[in-house]
Amino acid sequence: MTTVIIGGGLAGLAAAYKLADKDKIIIIEKEPQLGGMASSYKIDNYFIEQYYHHIFASDKELISLIEELGLIDRLEWLKGTTGYYFDGKIYPMNSPLEILKALPLMDVIRLTLLVLKAKSIKDRTPFDDITAKDWIIKTAGESVYNNFFLPLLSSKFGDNKENVSAAWLLGRVQIRSNRGTKGEKLGYMRGGFAALIEIMAQNIRDRGGIIRKGNASRIEIIGNSIKGVIVDGEMIECDRVISTVAPHVLSKIMDTDLTGLKFDLNINYQGTACALFGLSEKVMDDIYWLNIKEDVPFGAVIEHTNFIPTSDYGEHLMYTTSYFQDPKSILWSLRDEEVIELYLKGLEKLFPQIRKKLKWWRLRRDLDTAPVYETGYRKKVFPFKTDIKGLYLAGMFSQTNYPERSMNGSIQAGFRCVDEMA
Ligand SMILES: Cc1cc2nc3c(=O)[nH]c(=O)nc-3n(C[C@H](O)[C@H](O)[C@H](O)COP(=O)(O)OP(=O)(O)OC[C@H]3O[C@@H](n4cnc5c(N)ncnc54)[C@H](O)[C@@H]3O)c2cc1C
């Protein structure tokens, strides 16, 4: 059997990794680099993710895979300190005491009760049709919503913040609320997640898999069965296709009407514009992740070298990032230099010395970086196996990536998809 996998991100690589002993595998990736959303820049002598990445202790499949590939000694669990910028000041938010300093006492009590309630909910299904906003206000009041959750929802979902479901919020609270009194530990592979991608790719090649650069422009289907994939004008015949591309790309590369896909292809995705700055000095004292309640064109500042030691890189690294909901957004239409200038002007409001510390910058932007987990999303989750013989789907749109897309969710999607093939 020949299986063509469209997309060399983590879902595609995971599927190939699991299938390489059974099928002839051909991965098609349109970019020169593998890894999709999890790919890295090579700066001088080190790798750093183009989009900030860390993992959680609950990311079981990813951690097992790292272990299986002999990379576990690189995985470290470090304190991921968080802060909140408002009224011209950074408030650390790592312990109950620090949260008490930043929020009114009644809000802290109500927030604690909300977290306890969220953690006790086992079945999130009924919460898929309620907005997070309504549930927060009903459970903890307007003040907790406005002071605590609104900036978080705004930074994550922009104009879609009021449409996001309570099911998403519950999932998020359940993953993120095990901070204890000393703050949360997050996982990171020293040297970067680039090594994971490289070793996976090598392992697939060693077992006969082919990884090819190319643009898949058409999935050919005859009757109700897969015939092949057209890549840069050339037909690659195959028995099965695993597509890992975003729904709107899938709808362009196959005749979804004719082939009667019975699920909704209109998943709403949001884009990201993420700048990485190389700096001569640190910017924040000891905050890794800063959420911001201020009129600036980004939602979060992430000082990577307040998480991973600067000595790994020989310089300080900081991301500034924003999601956008619409391709007409200036974060998508402006030139790279203009986006960076916009971000620097915003950063100057928070950190007046920023330009003096700046050595270099990079910018990565994509349109389809995360599904918007709005009410009713559960019904939109894609199946792994479709009614078309030989067509399978795995990626950010899969059930394993709900209610939060992650590297773990995409790896699990690749694995689960292969299980369904069997
Ligand atoms: C800003 C940001 C921060 C993140 N932070 C974290 C984090 O901290 N922790 C975490 O676990 N996860 C994080 N993630 C999520 C994680 O990176 C993704 O969930 C995961 O990498 C997605 O993998 P995927 O294979 O499903 O999709 P993708 O990575 O999107 O892979 C799809 C691949 O298909 C290719 N492709 C598309 N169209 C075609 C075509 N026509 N022909 C050939 N190839 C094509 C693309 O180039 C891409 O490489 C983050 C993501 C973003 C955007």
Side-chain angles (χ1 to χ4, degrees), residues 219 221 241 243 245-248 250-251 254-257 259-267 269 377-388 391-394 397-399:
I219 300 175
I221 297 165
V241 168
S243 172
V245 300
H248 87 91
L250 184 66
S251 67
M254 67 179 281
D255 238 333
T256 46
D257 283 347
T259 48
L261 284 187
K262 288 197 188 80
F263 44 92
D264 189 349
L265 279 158
N266 292 317
I267 294 185
Y269 267 65
Y377 181 85
R378 182 176 289 274
K379 293 187 200 89
K380 294 186 172 183
V381 165
F382 277 21
F384 292 110
K385 186 177 179 181
T386 70
D387 290 343
I388 297 156
L391 177 63
Y392 297 84
L393 309 169
F397 41 75
S398 300
Q399 182 256 321

Side-chain angles (χ1 to χ4, degrees), residues 239-253:
D239 309 285
R240 309 198 278 202
V241 168
I242 301 176
S243 172
T244 71
V245 300
H248 87 91
V249 180
L250 184 66
S251 67
K252 283 193 194 111
I253 64 176

